[in-house]
Amino acid sequence: MSRLPRLRSSPDPSYLPAPSIATTLAFSMSMSTLGHKRKAEDDLDAEALDQPRKLPAIGNGATARPLAASRSALNRPTTTTGPAAKQLSGPQRLTRPEPPKLSTSVPRRTTRATSAPPKQLGSGSGLQTKEFRDLQSQVASIETAQLANAEKLAQTMDAERAKVAELEANHRALSLELANAKSLELDKRRELVSASDEIEKLRIKHAREIMELEMEVKSKAREARELADELRLAKSDLERERDSVSNLKATLSHQSTSHITLNAQINALQAQKAAMQMQLDAVMSTSSDRTLELETAYRRILDLEQDARESEMVRRKLHNMVQELKGNIRVFCRVRPVLTSDLSPSSSFTSSPTPDDEEKGREADIAFPDKRDHKEIVVSSSSSSAMGSERKEIYNFGFDRVFAPESTQSEVFEEISLLAQSCVDGYNVCIFAYGQTGSGKSFTMEGGSTEATTGMIPRAVSQVFKAADDLKSKGWEYKMDGQFLEIYNETINDLLGKGEFDKKKHEIKHDKSGTRVTDVNVMPLPSPASVTSLLRVANSRRTVAATLMNERSSRSHSVFTLRISGTNTHTGESCEGSLNLVDLAGSERLNSSGAAGDKDRLKETQNINKSLSALGDVIAALGEKGEKGEKHIPYRNSKLTYLLQNSLSGNSKTLVSAGSNYGDVSTT
Ligand SMILES: Nc1ncnc2c1ncn2[C@@H]1O[C@H](COP(=O)(O)OP(=O)(O)OP(=O)(O)O)[C@@H](O)[C@H]1O
């Protein structure tokens, strides 16, 4: 910023007042005193010229005038001629004025003294005259000198007047210059005022700029802080990046090693590939032969599949023939082992005779003499006569198969498994578990909790699923559905339903599509596991109504029916079979069941016996029909036989597993 001259409120000592005319005259008159000062002023002026020019203080009056202006006026070139011009052309020469001479009036006074000499001289001696003359001569010389001086003075006066005139001219010039200077000063003052305004504006602007700059500085400081934070973050990022770079470098070096290893492996593999390519070429060269062979084999497979389908049909026929030869109705006898519970005083084991045995006064024993075919069972009983002699009776029973107490579930199932295959082949199969309460019917049908004791129902179901799966390769696809019914007092209950027992009326319908029971749940069974869950549901539904010997489950027939429908996608054949697994109600006698004195139990037992004898009649009639041809089969005599009509008639297979314990063999 440019430095402007400072305004002054008081006159600066370096400024001299402008000389007035009077002072100029006085100045001229006292030149001698100024002579020695002139040098100093010149020096001062020279010094002032060297100094930076200063402006007079505003309001100091027009009298204040810088000497420099006067000097410059004096130094200004002029066209004036004459002595003044000569003086003005250079620095003015100031001369010491002569001392003032005596005025001309003095000689006039002297002349008057000559004409009238002092009275003292007139009365004196010659000496005094001489002195007087001397004095006169002196006066004369003085007067001469005075005259000379007066002339000189006149000349001087003229000179001074000329000087005065010159000074007056100077004065006028200076006044003019002063006026010019004043107007210049006014201009300057105006300039100064405008400059002051401008300065003020600049100050305000400057202050605003300072403020803006301060704000900018603050924002810059904030930015700097933010940048510092960012820098810190960037540094930490950089550190992390450095770490990761070092890790990457380590990984890279590791990868480089791996790369080298891989390159080596690639080279080895390429060599291997080349070798394999050669092998491939060799193989390709023989592939056409192989393709031909494959086509031949494919045709052969098609032929074999056709053969297999035909064989399957043959197998079905043969299988059925075998089953028929074995007998469409078969009866097994299974004697369960003695249990610890049988050894209790109330047990029916031989060591503790049943009321019937005691009634007859005899003990029963069982033997299995047919060790090869297992078809015979011998029951012997001994009794004492009234005379005290012992009488022994022996009964021989023949069955399609006898299972001794030590027989396992899998051995029993071996005889049944072929019937499961018959179901898949489109035949109806009925397997009955018959016997007294506790003779092992449920054990045989449902089994125990271990794999070894798994019963016939789960095994048969698994077998059916397996057989269906095996036939898939021959184009057969099967669909399975299941239902579980209970017949109690000649009333049908749905064990898969939700309603109360004995309330809902279910009717049995026979039509072309098969047997159907109204309002019962038929569940799709996609896997053996779904059958297991179905059995669990059914068991949880079975009502517990205790009798003297067992529960309601023992006093009702339960019928599990698995319906199998299959279609052959290759041949378009279809078949429908069913597997009925029936756990019959206990076949105990009225007096042994304890039902004789109980009206409800009596009705229960009568219904059980009626339905069991109806089943016996139907089976017997079916057997006779096979031998003699047409015969009426009394299916309608019980709900059970009517329900199973389709599964007992025609080419159906029926198996009765008669369960027994030692004490009850005679009843079986
Ligand atoms: N072959 C066997 N091996 C071992 N235990 C058996 C056998 N048969 C039956 N049992 C056992 O005998 C008892 C009675 O069997 P189970 O309940 O099967 O008779 P049930 O004839 O079905 O009786 P209910 O008519 O009351 O149902 C059960 O504890 C069962 O485990």
Side-chain angles (χ1 to χ4, degrees):
M1 188 180 288
S2 63
R3 276 185 84 84
L4 291 169
R6 200 152 56 89
L7 298 178
R8 292 174 184 277
S9 58
S10 61
D12 195 296
S14 63
Y15 291 92
L16 294 174
S20 64
I21 298 171
T23 52
T24 307
L25 287 174
F27 173 76
S28 302
M29 292 301 285
S30 59
M31 276 300 176
S32 60
T33 57
L34 291 174
H36 68 279
K37 289 181 185 173
R38 182 68 198 173
K39 178 82 170 44
E41 280 178 3
D42 286 345
D43 294 344
L44 192 65
D45 287 346
E47 211 173 279
L49 285 171
D50 292 339
Q51 292 293 324
R53 182 171 177 179
K54 293 179 182 177
L55 291 173
I58 297 169
N60 199 24
T63 52
R65 178 182 172 275
L67 183 62
S70 171
R71 187 172 173 268
S72 63
L74 290 172
N75 292 336
R76 189 183 301 142
T78 179
T79 52
T80 311
T81 53
K86 279 179 194 169
Q87 286 175 355
L88 287 173
S89 62
Q92 191 175 2
R93 183 95 182 150
L94 295 178
T95 54
R96 180 185 291 265
E98 299 253 341
K101 292 193 171 62
L102 293 175
S103 64
T104 50
S105 60
V106 175
R108 274 195 300 267
R109 271 195 318 259
T110 307
T111 307
R112 212 170 32 240
T114 307
S115 58
K119 288 177 178 174
Q120 294 159 327
L121 291 173
S123 59
S125 61
L127 184 56
Q128 283 176 338
T129 306
K130 193 184 175 241
E131 280 177 0
F132 180 70
R133 277 192 303 271
D134 289 341
L135 280 171
Q136 277 184 332
S137 67
Q138 280 179 3
V139 168
S141 65
I142 286 168
E143 280 178 348
T144 308
Q146 273 182 339
L147 283 173
N149 281 341
E151 276 178 20
K152 270 189 178 179
L153 186 62
Q155 285 172 357
T156 304
M157 286 295 285
D158 290 339
E160 289 301 323
R161 277 191 201 97
K163 282 181 187 174
V164 165
E166 187 185 343
L167 284 171
E168 279 175 354
N170 278 347
H171 174 69
R172 278 192 300 277
L174 284 172
S175 295
L176 191 64
E177 196 178 340
L178 180 64
N180 289 337
K182 278 180 183 174
S183 79
L184 190 68
E185 185 190 4
L186 275 175
D187 292 344
K188 293 292 177 192
R189 279 171 195 269
R190 273 195 288 275
E191 278 177 22
L192 189 64
V193 167
S194 72
S196 297
D197 290 346
E198 199 178 336
I199 287 165
E200 194 57 35
K201 281 179 191 169
L202 285 170
R203 260 194 204 134
I204 292 164
K205 190 180 167 194
H206 178 66
R208 196 165 54 242
E209 280 176 358
I210 285 172
M211 209 157 68
E212 285 171 3
L213 281 171
E214 279 174 358
M215 284 171 67
E216 201 177 337
V217 164
K218 280 179 186 169
S219 83
K220 292 286 176 198
R222 196 166 51 245
E223 278 176 23
R225 278 198 301 278
E226 286 171 3
L227 282 171
D229 289 346
E230 280 178 21
L231 185 67
R232 217 170 23 256
L233 287 172
K235 275 181 181 171
S236 69
D237 285 350
L238 188 66
E239 276 305 310
R240 267 201 308 281
E241 290 302 323
R242 275 187 186 140
D243 289 348
S244 70
V245 164
S246 65
N247 287 338
L248 282 171
K249 275 180 183 169
T251 312
L252 189 66
S253 70
H254 179 69
Q255 293 291 339
S256 300
T257 316
S258 304
H259 180 67
I260 291 164
T261 315
L262 279 172
N263 271 341
Q265 284 178 354
I266 285 168
N267 290 336
L269 283 170
Q270 275 174 349
Q272 219 173 338
K273 183 187 156 196
M276 288 188 79
Q277 186 64 44
M278 285 172 68
Q279 282 180 7
L280 186 68
D281 292 341
V283 168
M284 288 291 281
S285 67
T286 58
S287 67
S288 56
D289 300 340
R290 291 280 180 274
T291 308
L292 275 173
E293 282 175 22
L294 203 63
E295 281 171 5
T296 314
Y298 183 66
R299 276 196 295 277
R300 176 88 182 120
I301 285 168
L302 289 177
D303 293 343
L304 286 172
E305 278 181 354
Q306 181 62 29
D307 289 350
R309 276 193 291 276
E310 287 167 9
S311 302
E312 173 61 19
M313 287 170 70
V314 173
R315 183 203 63 74
R316 284 185 182 219
K317 280 180 190 161
L318 287 174
H319 180 78
N320 194 42
M321 275 172 66
V322 168
Q323 297 307 312
E324 282 177 356
L325 284 172
K326 278 190 166 184
N328 275 348
I329 300 172
R330 273 176 272 170
V331 181
F332 295 166
C333 175
R334 185 178 192 189
V335 180
R336 76 157 170 79
V338 177
L339 306 172
T340 45
S341 57
D342 296 329
L343 300 174
S344 65
S346 60
S347 86
S348 57
F349 185 55
T350 49
S351 59
S352 177
T354 62
D356 272 1
D357 292 337
E358 280 175 4
E359 216 176 275
K360 290 174 186 172
R362 64 179 185 182
E363 288 184 347
D365 199 4
I366 303 171
F368 305 93
D370 185 2
K371 301 291 179 199
R372 193 171 65 93
D373 295 331
H374 307 285
K375 288 182 184 267
E376 198 178 355
I377 185 169
V378 177
V379 179
S380 56
S381 66
S382 59
S383 58
S384 324
S385 66
M387 301 296 292
S389 61
E390 193 176 329
R391 194 179 54 183
K392 198 165 186 179
E393 292 175 48
I394 298 173
Y395 303 94
N396 280 359
F397 297 99
F399 293 95
D400 290 298
R401 176 73 197 254
V402 173
F403 293 100
E406 60 275 8
S407 302
T408 61
Q409 296 279 66
S410 65
E411 283 170 354
V412 176
F413 185 67
E414 263 179 43
E415 289 295 323
I416 296 173
S417 65
L418 293 175
L419 294 176
Q421 182 64 54
S422 294
C423 301
V424 179
D425 291 346
Y427 296 95
N428 295 324
V429 175
C430 272
I431 300 172
F432 293 97
Y434 170 79
Q436 279 196 342
T437 298
S439 60
K441 301 186 296 293
S442 302
F443 182 83
T444 300
M445 296 304 274
E446 291 165 23
S449 54
T450 62
E451 199 181 327
T453 57
T454 306
M456 298 307 114
I457 294 178
R459 282 174 194 263
V461 168
S462 294
Q463 179 71 16
V464 166
F465 275 96
K466 186 176 175 300
D469 206 40
D470 289 345
L471 287 172
K472 263 188 188 169
S473 61
K474 293 179 175 116
W476 284 97
E477 283 178 6
Y478 287 93
K479 183 171 149 307
M480 321 271 184
D481 296 311
Q483 70 179 38
F484 211 157
L485 304 176
E486 179 205 70
I487 302 172
Y488 177 69
N489 280 345
E490 289 300 280
T491 305
I492 293 175
N493 287 304
D494 183 8
L495 289 176
L496 302 178
K498 287 188 176 141
E500 235 180 284
F501 277 113
D502 307 327
K503 296 276 186 215
K504 207 170 187 178
K505 202 171 176 214
H506 300 281
E507 287 181 22
I508 302 163
K509 307 265 184 195
H510 295 294
D511 52 30
K512 283 181 187 170
S513 62
T515 304
R516 185 165 60 81
V517 181
T518 58
D519 288 335
V520 296
N521 288 295
V522 178
M523 284 175 61
L525 299 171
S527 66
S530 57
V531 179
T532 311
S533 63
L534 179 148
L535 293 176
R536 204 176 300 123
V537 171
N539 280 332
S540 69
R541 281 270 292 159
R542 298 189 91 166
T543 311
V544 179
T547 64
L548 281 179
M549 293 184 74
N550 218 315
E551 304 167 343
R552 173 180 167 131
S553 60
S554 309
R555 315 296 297 153
S556 62
H557 309 300
S558 68
V559 184
F560 168 69
T561 304
L562 178 69
R563 289 208 189 96
I564 306 146
S565 51
T567 50
N568 193 312
T569 51
H570 294 154
T571 61
E573 289 175 282
S574 65
C575 66
E576 286 213 2
S578 67
L579 175 66
N580 298 281
L581 299 159
V582 187
D583 189 350
L584 294 168
S587 59
E588 48 274 1
R589 289 185 289 272
L590 276 174
N591 53 355
S592 68
S593 69
D598 186 326
K599 203 176 154 194
D600 291 339
R601 295 288 93 81
L602 183 64
K603 189 186 165 197
E604 257 183 16
T605 310
Q606 283 172 341
N607 277 321
I608 290 167
N609 288 342
K610 185 185 151 201
S611 62
L612 289 178
S613 68
L615 177 64
D617 292 345
V618 166
I619 289 172
L622 285 170
E624 284 175 22
K625 182 189 169 191
E627 289 168 8
K628 296 178 184 173
E630 277 306 309
K631 191 174 187 318
H632 171 71
I633 313 291
Y635 290 115
R636 287 178 178 270
N637 284 356
S638 76
K639 282 272 164 53
L640 179 67
T641 49
Y642 190 54
L643 175 70
L644 298 172
Q645 181 177 330
N646 284 330
S647 300
L648 293 168
S649 60
N651 277 330
S652 300
K653 323 291 173 210
T654 303
L655 181 105
V656 179
S657 171
S660 175
N661 59 27
Y662 274 89
D664 296 325
V665 167
S666 56
T667 58
T668 307

